Amino acid sequence: KSSRIKKKEKVFSRVKKRVQTKMMIYLYIIGLFQVVCGLQIGSSRQHMKMVVETVPTRKVISLPAHPDLKTGKLKNGLEYAILKNASPRGRFEAHLEVFAGSADEEENEQGIAHLVEHVVYMGSRKRERLFGTGSQTNAYTDFHHTVFYACCPCEVPGGMLDGSLTALLGGGQRANSAKMLPRALDALCEVLDAQFAPARVEKERAAVLSEMSMVNTIEYRVECQILKALHAENALSRRFPIGLEQQIRAWTVDDVMHFHAKHYRPDNALLYIVGDVDTNQVEQQIEKIFSVLPKANKLPNHESLKVQSRHFPPVLHTWSGGTYNGISNVPGAKKINPDKFLLPLAVPSTNYIPTHTPVRAHVFQHELLQSFSFHLFAKRPIESVTTLQAHRLHVCRRLALAALQVRLNVMARNEPLFSFVEFNYLDSPREACAVCSLDMTADAGRWQDAVTAALAETRRLGEFGITQSELERFGTALVTDSEQLAAMGDQLAHSDQVTHLMEAIACGHTWMDPATAHAATVTAVDAITLDEVNTVARDLCDHVLNFGHEPLPSAMVACAPKYMPDGSIVEIDSETLLQVAERASSMEILPEPEMTVPTTLLTQSEVTELKQKSLELKDKTIDIEPEEAKRVGAFAKKLGNGARIVVKPLSHEAQRGAIRITAAGGRSLEHKGSSQIPPGSIALGCRTLQEGGAFEPWTREQVELFCVDRLIMVEVICVDEAIHIDFQFPTPAPRNGGCTGLEAALQIAHKILQPGAFVWETDALNRGRVVLSQQHETTMRSMEGAAQEMLTSRISGNDFRFLSCSAAIADAVTLDNIKEAMTAIFTPSNVEVVIVGDFVGTTPTEAVELAELYIGSVDAQPISQNSVVVADKNPAESIPIQIRADDEEELKRMHVEDSDPRAVAYIVGAAPNRAGFLADGSALVDAVVGNVLKKNTNSKVSVNIPARWRHPVFATAALALLQEVINRRLFSVVRERRQLTYDANFQLSDNERLLGGWFLVTVTASPANADAALQACKDTLAALRGQHPPSRDNLDSARRVVVNRHLAELTSNKYWCDQLTGTTFESMPSKTFASIADFAAIAEQVTVNDLTAILNFLDNDRVFTCVATSGSSDAAAPTDLNDAHACSHVSLRRR
């Protein structure tokens, strides 16, 4: 019911911050997300209809629980939930949830839950038995719980002493093979029966202190400020999981053991197993392994929201709106004494002068902030969805939210006030409440206009509700979304399943099979009236409608920079914030007008003309490597107009499709002094394309609603070597008629590519300039961003094309520049279109014909004297990336003023690109062969070049394995052995078309340890080429991870789009269909000697290094914040 809570992992994986345009043309609908395979959709819907018709109107109808979800409880109190799931096959996930988080800590225990997490899992010997098996283990601590998990193959990779990956490649389960489940359960069971060796406690104490320094980014501090205001009346405002440094340093081993003994008990935990497993066998293993744990004495009852659900943190809230407005009662429980759990406000209220009412308005300003953000909240009790009536209310809420979100999106695209705006209502078990939130980011110079506009639009929904056409439109979209989930069945990823299962159980929602859930949604949508939805809409916006009167918002928070880019002060305080809210509450508002939405972007006569045009070019269409394409189940053609198409049917994501349009070139085509593709024209052109969306004769709003009706999402991405336009969409036609999702997406693609069809608008250009300017300023004010920008400048010779686009560059670009540059780069001969998906109602042949129709009919760029002709080029003509040595200034230092000390260090050096080409245009394999031949010049023994070296995917596979090996070595040496860092990461650049590439090592540490950590990383890289080369065990472990990941991702439309991109470009000769088909097999053949040979082409001797620090001075940091930890910290942000 609530959105996913994803674990946040900081990985700065590139030397530079790529310019990516990621605003979507989308409908932000969160449908009922209840999963797992069940009944046939038709039979479930008919059954639900019969149930509704045969039960009296006022009778409460309970939602049916999923018949295959198995739950149970051991005698010692441990509860478990088991769910058989099909994707990815041959794997499972085991998650142990302990109901002890930071909110359960006493006043003198702030951070101890997080420390216990480190000690019990990092110190687990049984967890170490999972290493090298293709498993991933981790843990995280939140307000309400601590979770330990293991994601494993179903079988131990036995018989792999020779490095064979036959079992993984086959994907099946071998007879009489050892099972991984007992190992995973043993590791999780040891969490509840952990040992606390003093050395381990001290090691993890240092890890936690180091992590405290690393996570303290400006984004984290903003999250803390928001939560501090939202939950000012309870412990959540004071119990952030990272804890307090003074207390962490002071605890004894006995203190840590005491917290563990109190909370880590079988009756205070729940075990989830989701995956490709036999439910009965799993239950037997749970009984066998966990029953040895003794039953503990009962925990005392909390007079808090734990009464409602033990999954909730022990807090109380002051509710805003609804039945419980202004009080702190627990739904379903007797009135309780709030004295212990309601605390003095952590953030004081401000007097709202018009009504003399205290409102919790909070302002946070910081010099590192670049943009303004505003957050308005109302907290409500979580309402369990267990009946059809409750589900109907939930659907009404989703419809109202969808309508408001689209209105906000349209408003944001008409007026460049917002870079992001969202109104939502989410159940949040981590906070023990449902949160209604209005969140937005905007230009700090226009924050008052932005807040006023967003509040006024929210008032409009509450005052007038949604329109009849919106009810029909979003009802159709919600049913389409639900139908896709039902069609997916048990093909959703294990990780998604377990996340949503945990949240549903925590909130007390009925967990239905997807077909029944879809039937319930259809039943609700068909019965809901406009008045019913608008009553719910008014309730959602109640705290905004009469601002300053009851119900009051739970909190309003503004976060702003202290200064504008020109140095002027940003004027804002709580009183001013409330004055803006008053202005918005008194503005005159009018009802939302009805709007005509097209069911197709092209008329039948226009489609007929396109058919005729594509038929005229039919004889010029040729198949591309048909036999090789057939190996991966794809169809590839070069059309008569020069465009290439690749169509790949894939049924794993039922009723879902994806399209990627790729235009070769990207920012590398920009040139100084060029009047046709000047600096910034491609970057700003992509951003303008994203911000626009009008196609004659349709307005931007009509096109956006056309996408809304079909749940089409479009994302424009600009990188150095290409432009990508990604589409995601349902493939069937919507309930309200019109063309299929595939045809609708191809119509949009045609309009984008066809010269003169897309309307390039000045206001979209201006919004694009604002976004690029904000991105650049944010980069330069960030310690990590500024350091990466400096390194990028050094390795590229200050080439503007590889740097973020500044305001000065963007302002110099005209609308005509953009039109000419984008028209040139989208000429058909420079374009590849990849289509992947489950083409419901469309055969693969028909899908190819649709692609030929809409892509093959795109006109080539009109050639004139001043036209820019862009064509896919041979790699030798592409732009090489050179690492320029600067021996006199090898180490660069930079410092960012900040209130808190942090540090990060970087190493960057030359490397092949991902396809295996060096900066001079030679192939990595040829260079390796040359070295071998040179080494054996005087030998009489003939040299046999292995066949694998000549395979087009060899370099790609070997580099992927090498990256994994180096990351494991950095972890072992820099983190575990030398204890100098929390995070050390090695990453190869992503470019496949531009010649050459680079590697980047990122290491976080305290400012005092940054130089030592940097040197340790350099020493580790040197050792790999010298005294301690990669071992057979290193390679085998890396191989399991890389191949396992590849095989699992092959069920994803997006991954197939990534893999197929470039397979038809002449400039990417190593990207072939055979590369995809043979990746796993070639990865199995790579040897230690192969990796050793390739290591010689990572230039460790000529590297650029940088140490970046933040704080009041370079020395402003403790000297003993060491770390060695592999657990993840969670984001404080509600997802």
Side-chain angles (χ1 to χ4, degrees):
K1 301 290 195 320
S2 69
S3 63
R4 305 174 188 177
I5 300 174
K6 294 189 175 180
K7 278 63 71 178
K8 181 181 182 183
E9 299 179 352
K10 286 284 185 185
V11 177
F12 300 107
S13 60
R14 295 168 181 82
V15 172
K16 60 194 189 116
K17 188 176 182 71
R18 293 175 180 271
V19 178
Q20 296 189 342
T21 53
K22 294 198 170 203
M23 194 83 162
M24 298 181 180
I25 305 171
Y26 71 111
L27 166 64
Y28 198 93
I29 285 184
I30 302 176
L32 178 69
F33 197 86
Q34 294 168 314
V35 288
V36 192
C37 187
L39 306 173
Q40 293 295 316
I41 295 174
S43 63
S44 292
R45 181 175 176 182
Q46 186 63 29
H47 173 71
M48 183 65 71
K49 183 178 179 183
M50 290 172 59
V51 168
V52 173
E53 290 176 347
T54 56
V55 175
T57 305
R58 297 188 179 182
K59 177 79 173 180
V60 175
I61 304 173
S62 296
L63 294 172
H66 195 300
D68 296 331
L69 174 64
K70 192 160 193 175
T71 59
K73 185 176 183 179
L74 301 182
K75 292 180 180 179
N76 58 15
L78 178 77
E79 294 186 30
Y80 56 85
I82 309 169
L83 196 61
K84 182 175 177 61
N85 192 59
S87 181
R89 65 176 180 171
R91 293 189 68 83
F92 70 90
E93 295 197 12
H95 292 238
L96 180 68
E97 181 182 25
V98 179
F99 303 116
S102 59
D104 294 283
E105 298 164 348
E106 300 295 339
E107 188 67 26
N108 63 343
E109 293 179 326
Q110 295 183 54
I112 202 166
H114 183 213
L115 178 58
V116 169
E117 170 220 315
H118 277 243
V119 175
V120 300
Y121 215 32
M122 288 300 295
S124 170
R125 293 297 180 189
K126 291 183 178 179
R127 173 175 170 260
E128 293 178 2
R129 295 182 63 212
L130 302 176
F131 295 173
T133 63
S135 301
Q136 292 89 44
T137 63
N138 218 321
Y140 56 95
T141 302
D142 208 333
F143 291 129
H144 60 315
H145 65 193
T146 302
V147 178
F148 307 85
Y149 62 92
C151 311
C152 310
C154 290
E155 300 177 4
V156 177
M160 299 181 107
L161 296 178
D162 59 350
S164 171
L165 289 178
T166 304
L168 283 176
L169 297 177
Q173 297 188 8
R174 305 185 306 276
N176 303 318
S177 60
K179 305 297 182 183
M180 282 294 297
L181 181 63
R183 289 194 187 187
L185 294 182
D186 273 340
L188 295 177
C189 184
E190 193 174 39
V191 165
L192 300 176
D193 189 29
Q195 302 299 311
F196 290 84
R200 173 55 66 178
V201 173
E202 291 309 314
K203 188 174 185 180
E204 298 310 318
R205 190 198 311 272
V208 169
L209 291 170
S210 183
E211 182 178 351
M212 179 180 289
S213 174
M214 193 210 80
V215 303
N216 194 31
T217 63
I218 188 60
E219 293 80 11
Y220 178 84
R221 282 175 258 176
V222 166
E223 292 170 5
C224 289
Q225 291 291 327
I226 293 171
L227 289 171
K228 185 178 180 181
L230 175 59
H231 301 302
E233 77 275 23
N234 63 46
L236 298 184
S237 63
R238 301 156 170 85
R239 291 290 188 276
F240 300 123
I242 201 69
L244 297 179
E245 180 180 348
Q246 306 94 304
Q247 292 190 16
I248 294 170
R249 292 182 181 279
W251 295 321
T252 66
V253 173
D254 287 342
D255 294 329
V256 180
M257 292 176 64
H258 172 75
F259 185 87
H260 181 272
K262 180 179 178 181
H263 296 283
Y264 279 63
R265 318 141 40 102
D267 62 333
N268 197 40
L270 200 158
L271 177 67
Y272 299 85
I273 308 291
V274 175
D276 188 9
V277 295
D278 182 287
T279 303
N280 292 328
Q281 291 180 5
V282 172
E283 194 169 32
Q284 292 170 10
Q285 287 294 327
I286 293 173
E287 174 80 30
K288 177 181 178 181
I289 292 171
F290 282 87
S291 289
V292 300
L293 298 172
K295 186 175 182 178
N297 295 327
K298 268 196 170 184
L299 282 168
N301 288 328
H302 285 286
E303 290 185 339
S304 67
L305 283 162
K306 273 194 177 290
V307 173
Q308 185 182 1
S309 172
R310 70 171 180 158
H311 298 254
F312 294 167
V315 297
L316 292 179
H317 297 285
T318 302
W319 304 118
S320 171
T323 305
Y324 295 93
N325 178 57
I327 59 177
S328 303
N329 282 5
V330 177
K334 296 179 180 179
K335 185 172 176 62
I336 61 176
N337 182 358
D339 291 346
K340 179 179 179 181
F341 298 99
L342 284 181
L343 307 174
L345 293 182
V347 170
S349 297
T350 302
N351 183 44
Y352 181 60
I353 295 176
T355 60
H356 301 289
T357 306
V359 176
R360 198 183 303 167
H362 178 56
V363 173
F364 171 66
Q365 286 187 275
H366 198 284
E367 57 270 15
L368 291 185
L369 286 173
Q370 171 57 26
S371 60
F372 168 85
S373 68
F374 174 74
H375 315 270
L376 181 70
F377 300 106
K379 294 192 286 188
R380 307 278 184 88
I382 289 177
E383 303 169 25
S384 297
V385 179
T386 59
T387 67
L388 191 60
Q389 290 85 344
H391 177 52
R392 180 167 170 161
L393 173 63
H394 168 80
V395 171
C396 287
R397 190 176 287 141
R398 300 262 61 91
L399 292 172
L401 289 169
L404 178 56
Q405 185 60 54
V406 170
R407 292 181 189 180
L408 290 170
N409 288 347
V410 170
M411 180 176 64
R413 294 162 71 78
N414 286 332
E415 173 67 24
L417 289 173
F418 316 103
S419 53
F420 169 82
V421 59
E422 176 183 83
F423 187 88
N424 218 331
Y425 184 101
L426 296 174
D427 291 340
S428 179
R430 67 195 295 265
E431 295 163 279
C433 62
V435 181
C436 184
S437 62
L438 172 64
D439 300 287
M440 69 175 208
T441 57
D443 181 1
R446 300 189 63 189
W447 73 265
Q448 296 192 23
D449 293 337
V451 171
T452 301
L455 289 176
E457 194 61 47
T458 306
R459 276 184 59 219
R460 190 197 315 275
L461 177 71
E463 186 73 32
F464 301 108
I466 70 174
T467 66
Q468 183 64 39
S469 63
E470 286 176 322
L471 174 62
E472 295 168 1
R473 179 179 308 120
F474 300 128
T476 296
L478 192 60
V479 169
T480 300
D481 190 46
S482 172
E483 184 179 14
Q484 290 170 45
L485 293 172
M488 288 284 290
D490 62 355
Q491 291 299 317
L492 289 161
H494 302 330
S495 57
D496 292 337
Q497 301 278 41
V498 73
T499 296
H500 289 278
L501 178 58
M502 289 175 71
E503 291 183 2
I505 290 176
C507 296
H509 301 318
T510 297
W511 180 259
M512 291 187 286
D513 73 88
T516 303
H518 173 60
T521 300
V522 173
T523 300
V525 168
D526 287 345
I528 285 171
T529 66
L530 184 62
D531 286 343
E532 194 176 353
V533 176
N534 287 341
T535 299
V536 172
R538 185 175 185 86
D539 179 70
L540 278 172
C541 305
D542 213 10
H543 58 293
V544 180
L545 276 174
N546 297 298
F547 190 85
H549 299 271
E550 293 291 344
L552 296 172
S554 297
M556 57 192 305
V557 184
C559 302
K562 288 187 175 181
Y563 304 100
M564 294 295 293
D566 62 4
S568 60
I569 297 174
V570 177
E571 301 286 353
I572 184 173
D573 55 31
S574 298
E575 288 78 10
T576 309
L577 189 61
L578 290 177
Q579 290 171 9
V580 173
E582 179 188 1
R583 184 195 314 161
S585 66
S586 60
M587 282 180 60
E588 181 183 2
I589 53 174
L590 299 173
E592 181 76 7
E594 293 281 5
M595 179 174 291
T596 301
V597 179
T599 57
T600 178
L601 294 179
L602 294 164
T603 65
Q604 189 57 51
S605 61
E606 288 174 323
V607 172
T608 301
E609 289 180 14
L610 296 186
K611 285 181 179 178
Q612 183 60 38
K613 189 185 296 185
S614 62
L615 283 173
E616 291 172 359
L617 296 172
K618 187 76 172 177
D619 58 338
K620 296 182 180 180
T621 298
I622 58 173
D623 292 330
I624 300 175
E625 298 183 3
E627 293 304 316
E628 289 299 316
K630 191 175 181 181
R631 292 184 61 199
V632 295
F635 306 86
K637 294 177 180 289
K638 185 173 183 179
L639 305 180
N641 62 354
R644 296 89 153 176
I645 60 170
V646 182
V647 179
K648 159 68 180 173
L650 189 69
S651 61
H652 287 88
E653 293 187 44
Q655 300 186 12
R656 295 289 301 172
I659 294 175
R660 168 170 284 185
I661 300 174
T662 299
R667 289 206 67 193
S668 63
L669 295 175
E670 298 174 359
H671 289 284
K672 285 183 177 179
S674 170
S675 61
Q676 297 157 332
I677 308 185
S681 57
I682 299 296
L684 185 54
C686 288
R687 189 70 234 182
T688 304
L689 176 62
Q690 186 76 73
E691 295 293 332
F695 309 129
E696 292 290 354
W698 308 111
T699 67
R700 184 192 313 145
E701 291 82 5
Q702 289 174 311
V703 173
E704 181 151 359
L705 291 175
F706 174 82
C707 294
V708 165
D709 281 357
R710 288 154 180 78
L711 296 180
I712 298 173
M713 296 189 295
V714 185
E715 181 181 17
V716 185
I717 304 170
C718 177
V719 294
D720 307 327
E721 56 187 8
I723 294 173
H724 302 299
I725 307 178
D726 287 342
F727 298 75
Q728 296 181 49
F729 51 89
T731 49
R735 291 176 86 201
N736 56 359
C739 57
T740 65
L742 174 60
E743 185 167 6
L746 284 169
Q747 286 184 355
I748 297 172
H750 175 86
K751 289 287 191 179
I752 291 173
L753 297 175
Q754 177 64 25
F758 183 84
V759 180
W760 295 95
E761 301 166 310
T762 301
D763 62 335
L765 170 67
N766 291 334
R767 288 195 300 276
R769 284 176 175 152
V770 170
V771 172
L772 291 185
S773 176
Q774 289 179 345
Q775 289 176 345
H776 175 74
E777 290 297 326
T778 299
T779 296
M780 300 313 295
R781 292 194 186 190
S782 159
M783 178 184 72
E784 294 86 359
Q788 292 178 19
E789 191 84 345
M790 182 183 71
L791 281 171
T792 305
S793 176
R794 295 187 73 194
I795 67 172
S796 66
N798 199 31
D799 192 324
F800 69 90
R801 293 169 296 181
F802 302 100
L803 303 174
S804 61
C805 191
S806 67
I809 290 178
D811 289 345
V813 179
T814 67
L815 193 62
D816 286 340
N817 291 149
I818 285 173
K819 290 169 64 175
E820 185 165 10
M822 298 299 283
T823 301
I825 200 169
F826 282 136
T827 194
S829 61
N830 197 51
V831 168
E832 174 189 73
V833 180
V834 175
I835 305 170
V836 180
D838 179 27
F839 309 126
V840 176
T842 304
T843 66
T845 300
E846 290 170 337
V848 172
E849 290 172 350
L850 281 173
E852 290 178 324
L853 168 63
Y854 288 109
I855 305 303
S857 59
V858 172
D859 293 326
Q861 173 200 0
I863 302 298
S864 67
Q865 184 176 357
N866 297 321
S867 291
V868 178
V869 179
V870 178
D872 178 33
K873 297 179 179 180
N874 181 283
E877 298 174 302
S878 298
I879 303 170
I881 297 173
Q882 300 283 353
I883 301 293
R884 292 169 169 79
D886 188 350
D887 296 331
E888 294 181 0
E889 298 183 69
E890 183 188 18
L891 175 62
K892 289 283 188 180
R893 295 187 184 275
M894 62 160 296
H895 184 73
V896 175
E897 287 297 317
D898 191 4
S899 54
D900 299 334
R902 297 172 57 240
V904 61
Y906 296 99
I907 305 170
V908 61
N913 70 11
R914 287 280 184 171
F917 284 92
L918 303 173
D920 61 4
S922 62
L924 172 64
V925 170
D926 292 337
V928 171
V929 170
N931 279 359
V932 172
L933 295 175
K934 184 177 179 180
K935 190 174 181 180
N936 292 273
T937 300
N938 299 323
S939 173
K940 296 182 179 180
V941 180
S942 61
V943 177
N944 294 319
I945 305 302
R948 64 181 179 276
W949 287 11
R950 293 301 182 188
H951 195 285
V953 82
F954 169 76
T956 301
L959 287 168
L961 293 169
L962 183 60
Q963 179 173 285
E964 186 68 24
V965 167
I966 294 175
N967 270 314
R968 286 171 176 263
R969 184 67 64 86
L970 287 171
F971 172 83
S972 176
V973 176
V974 186
R975 291 172 56 158
E976 284 292 290
R977 195 178 308 162
R978 300 197 188 182
Q979 301 180 35
L980 289 170
T981 179
Y982 171 79
D983 179 49
N985 175 266
F986 175 92
Q987 187 79 19
L988 291 165
S989 57
D990 288 335
N991 52 298
E992 298 175 298
R993 185 173 177 270
L994 295 180
L995 297 176
W998 59 85
F999 68 84
L1000 174 69
V1001 177
T1002 306
V1003 55
T1004 58
S1006 68
N1009 285 341
D1011 285 82
L1014 178 68
Q1015 187 59 48
C1017 290
K1018 293 179 69 174
D1019 293 343
T1020 302
L1021 294 179
L1024 280 164
R1025 293 176 59 185
Q1027 297 179 342
H1028 303 287
S1031 68
R1032 181 64 176 273
D1033 286 344
N1034 295 156
L1035 175 58
D1036 286 345
S1037 294
R1039 201 176 350 235
R1040 290 169 193 138
V1041 171
V1042 170
V1043 173
N1044 230 2
R1045 184 167 56 227
H1046 171 72
L1047 296 178
E1049 291 281 5
L1050 287 177
T1051 61
S1052 160
N1053 290 342
K1054 183 179 184 304
Y1055 187 72
W1056 271 103
C1057 281
D1058 290 340
Q1059 294 298 299
L1060 290 167
T1061 295
T1063 50
T1064 66
F1065 277 153
E1066 284 83 353
S1067 60
M1068 299 173 66
S1070 295
K1071 195 79 178 285
T1072 66
F1073 299 113
S1075 300
I1076 306 170
D1078 299 334
F1079 178 86
I1082 294 299
E1084 182 182 2
Q1085 297 174 30
V1086 173
T1087 67
V1088 170
N1089 287 338
D1090 293 340
L1091 298 189
T1092 302
I1094 292 173
L1095 272 168
N1096 291 323
F1097 294 91
L1098 300 185
D1099 193 347
N1100 296 338
D1101 299 323
R1102 295 173 57 216
V1103 297
F1104 291 145
T1105 57
C1106 172
V1107 173
T1109 56
S1110 69
S1112 57
S1113 69
D1114 285 330
T1119 58
D1120 57 351
L1121 299 184
N1122 302 323
D1123 180 69
H1125 177 42
C1127 298
S1128 69
H1129 64 277
V1130 297
S1131 169
L1132 298 180
R1133 193 178 296 278
R1134 194 175 305 102
R1135 297 298 182 189

